[in-house]
Amino acid sequence: MIKLELPYITVMVDDRFRKRLAYAGERLRVTVTAYLRNAADDVDGMGRKATAACQTAAARVDTAMAAANTRIAAERDIAPPTLKVV
């Protein structure tokens, strides 16, 4: 369970939802990267600059989305709420 603390509210995100979100993000990353690499192959006849642009875009998308998925899917040990004697 992830606990997000904002100034006036606290949001608890269920582990199942977090894992589903990470899985969907991973599928999106693979799909977009594959389309960009396929586009790089298709524009191969147009020139090296177009191919290099598609390859660069694929690498950037892959890196950015992998970092986002790592943050979403990170296992965090959050202690359960405890009562304090005042």
Side-chain angles (χ1 to χ4, degrees), residues 44-62:
D44 194 27
M46 294 178 66
R48 291 182 187 170
K49 285 186 179 183
T51 302
C54 288
Q55 290 288 350
T56 302
R60 287 183 178 179
V61 165
D62 191 38

Side-chain angles (χ1 to χ4, degrees), residues 8-84:
Y8 295 104
I9 61 172
T10 299
V11 178
M12 301 292 280
V13 179
D14 186 32
D15 286 335
R16 283 181 38 206
F17 177 71
R18 181 181 50 81
K19 288 178 182 178
R20 287 177 57 197
L21 187 61
Y23 181 70
E26 185 65 21
R27 284 192 329 235
L28 180 65
R29 179 185 71 84
V30 169
T31 302
V32 171
T33 303
Y35 280 128
L36 287 169
R37 294 200 190 280
N38 192 19
D41 291 341
D42 289 344
V43 297
D44 194 27
M46 294 178 66
R48 291 182 187 170
K49 285 186 179 183
T51 302
C54 288
Q55 290 288 350
T56 302
R60 287 183 178 179
V61 165
D62 191 38
T63 303
M65 292 186 75
N69 281 340
T70 301
R71 290 188 70 180
I72 291 171
E75 294 291 332
R76 296 183 181 154
D77 295 331
I78 295 178
T82 57
L83 295 175
K84 295 180 183 178

